[in-house]
Amino acid sequence: MLNFGMVDSRFDRKQFPEHLVYALGIIGQTSKDVTMPAQLPVNFFSTRSPVIDLFRGQLDYADHLRQDSEIALYFFYAPWCGQSVAAREEIEHVASRLSDQVLFVAINCWWNQGKCRKQKHFFYFPVIHLYHRSFGPIEYKGPMSAVYIEKFVRRVMTPLLYISSRSKLLDFLSNYEPGVIGYFEFNASPQPPGYLTFFTSALHSLKKDYLGTIRFGVITDKHVAEEISLVHSGSVYLHRHVNTSLVYPNDDMNYTAENICKWALENREILIRWLRPHGGKSLLLNNELKKGPALLIFIPYNPLAEIHPLLDEITKVALEYHNCNKSQEAEPGPQHVGDSDSPAFDSSVPNAQTKSAETFSITTYPCCNTVVLPQWHSISRTHNVCELCINQTLGVKPNTVNVPHCNFFEIEAALDSFYLQEHTFFQVISNTIECSNFLSFYSPFNYYTACCRTVNRHFLSFISSEKTIFQTPKVAFSSHGKKDKDDIQNSIPHIEDRNCFIPDLHISVTNITGLGCRTNKTLNLYLLDSNLFWIYAERLGASRSTHHKEFAAIVDLKEEVHYVLDQNQSLTGSTLENFIKNFSVLYSPLKRHLVDDASVHFHVQHVITEVTTSTFRDIVLSSEKNVLLLYYAQWCGFCASLNHIFIQLARLLPPDNFTVARIDITRNDLPWEFMTDHLPTILFFPHHRKEQSVKFPEDFSVNLPNLLKFILHYSSLSSSAPRSKECLHKETVLQQGHISHLEKEIQKLRSEISALHQAHDHLEAQLSEARRKEHRLQQQKHILEKQHKTLQLHSEQLQATFDQKNRELLEMAEKLQELADASENLLKENTLLRILVASREGKLQSKDESNEALQPEQKLSDDNVLVSTATATSEEKRVDNINTVETEHSSKNRTE
């Protein structure tokens, strides 16, 4: 790489273009990467905040502070994180209320020099950890709201609720959340055996279940403990509303905190569940809705409030809905099912089924199930509905059998036997009830009773009429058995409405007790806080302008439908009961809710009409015009490319007889018969037969001529009735109007085509000019490439010359160094010679003085002559040597 600092000053870099200078590397750059160090972190919380802000990630110092506090809360944050910034105010609010009892520490876990960043590896921010002395961390995963955080902190502060009296025990057990109670006697010692283990198990439950659905309580009074049959200190009791409550099995499981928590979580009873989506990508709602039909209830909820009247009403409905034991107890027990005179019940007797029909009462059967057979013909809208009940006998003759509960295995066996003889009940068409008895497929001592009737789905309604499908003035017999008209009361209505027509059942028609166990459409109940998740309610159909954020909807993912509770009614227990009952009946009177696009605004000047769920019937089905409807979606790119075609088509067609419309199927729901799984889809609805809509063929290209042929073909099909002269005249006038309208449009199209031709010619001229410019640019490019090659060769030559001159300079420097060394040696020798001459002169002078004293003047003068002559001779020799060295040095310089 060439460097200007080592180039001859005659080289001028300004003669080259700047971009070539950089390209050739004439201007040198440093080879080291320059990295700007991160800025030092600053305080995330205010200095006056009760939260200790360790903004440099001093995790070790936080652990040191935690040693002096019973409860500590760590708030791990990243300064750039928007959620951390939003949660900062919530944390400060909680700290202002609990700072005297809880240590609040905020730690910057993003600073790369801090210990928190080096020791912790979080995948999201913020993260909240709580510590109860040495136990922890307990991670909080709930909403980043002050009330929810404070509620969770208080649960960690007091994981056990002290139950001191019978009234407090009843309040504890009446809560809808599962409750675990431990009984410990504090008389013998300050901390009886097992108490710390039970205390730790409560903390374990908060660690595993951040929603805190299990409540832990402790009883110290022996008399209060006897109310729930706890007599031994250290006993643990799990309360359940519907199923049997349990006592911790000390003999089968070790008494440890982990085992108690695991036992409580596995055996808890959840009648109604809270859903709290965290706002990111999650399968929470999908996993819950896949379990079956779900009732989603949105209510405003404050966790810190003392009382929740609306929640109490909903809890009562949930308890009644799932309370299967009371519903079975309300039903009459099995009565005497036979007498001594009854014939032997043997499978070998062919008419055994017929004889048993006169002996048993269907109302006394403890276990029944409703079966709806499919349509017997493709054009029929009727079903055969059967009530299948189980009869049990012991021994050879029928006897009384006490069956306290309905066994689902027996129901499954009954259904197997029923479907084996399904052809018997499949093609029967009768307006009367026909009852039959048939033997069990698995046991000769069990037989089943089935009462069936044909019903029409179109006229069936359980709400508007008090009659049911089984309420009829007469009961007929099938080929399997006979009945008299006096046995009308023994006929079974639909399973949900059985209590309306059987006088022996003392269940109110408005009561839903045990309905979750008496229907095949059992609901899962869920609660959501409308203060946090109202956006989900709006997507399900809630009004955005409502002031009371109360909403309920049933979502059936399997059937792909959902129903919405009327928002004009207040959300109370009675309205929820009616909502659940209407959904649970066989043919539900609830109207399916379809999502409508409320953001569409209609304007008269739009040539294409935008259709929504609410306007679909008025614009498409009820309109007297021919309607061409386009199904599209916002993400469908090909759908958007058809817009100009439909705009031209709408301008061609007369607006009095044709409507061109479109609907966004991603934002609007339609009845299933009008849905499609392919985009774009084009449907044409003729004005006189809207039910015979026609789909545009997919193998045809979507263009203006094809669409016109498609519309004119299906709109010109006349009805089978003869037309009058007046009708023909009107049609002729209409056709002439169409022709004139089309001629005008064709004239417009021709003018547009000529304009397009002119634009095409102009564009061709611009393209030719652009091609010429491109050719010139290519030539300039070749010239620049040649210049670049020439400059590159010149650069290489300069580099070679520079290397040669550099080598010569190095050789010259070596020779100059040798001359300097020789000159220095000569100077030293010259100095020595001068010293020797001076010393010699001193000696001669002293000798002369001595000779003058000893010899006469004549001899002294002769000696002086001889001395001077010798001195001159030596001086001449020294001068000659010096001159010789200088001559050689100058000659060498000239040679160089």
Side-chain angles (χ1 to χ4, degrees), residues 607-665:
V607 293
I608 299 179
T609 305
E610 191 75 24
V611 178
T612 63
T613 302
S614 58
T615 62
F616 178 80
R617 183 169 298 277
D618 296 333
I619 296 177
V620 179
L621 299 181
S622 301
S623 174
E624 296 182 356
K625 300 180 182 180
N626 299 300
V627 180
L628 184 70
L629 183 62
L630 169 66
Y631 290 78
Y632 77 99
Q634 295 291 340
W635 48 262
C636 177
F638 184 66
C639 302
S641 65
L642 302 178
N643 288 337
H644 70 284
I645 298 176
F646 273 78
I647 291 174
Q648 293 180 6
L649 181 64
R651 290 174 178 172
L652 288 174
L653 297 174
D656 296 336
N657 300 318
F658 290 89
T659 299
V660 180
R662 66 174 188 170
I663 184 170
D664 186 354
I665 63 172

Side-chain angles (χ1 to χ4, degrees), residues 200 325 347 413 623 643 671:
T200 308
N325 296 329
S347 60
S623 174
N643 288 337

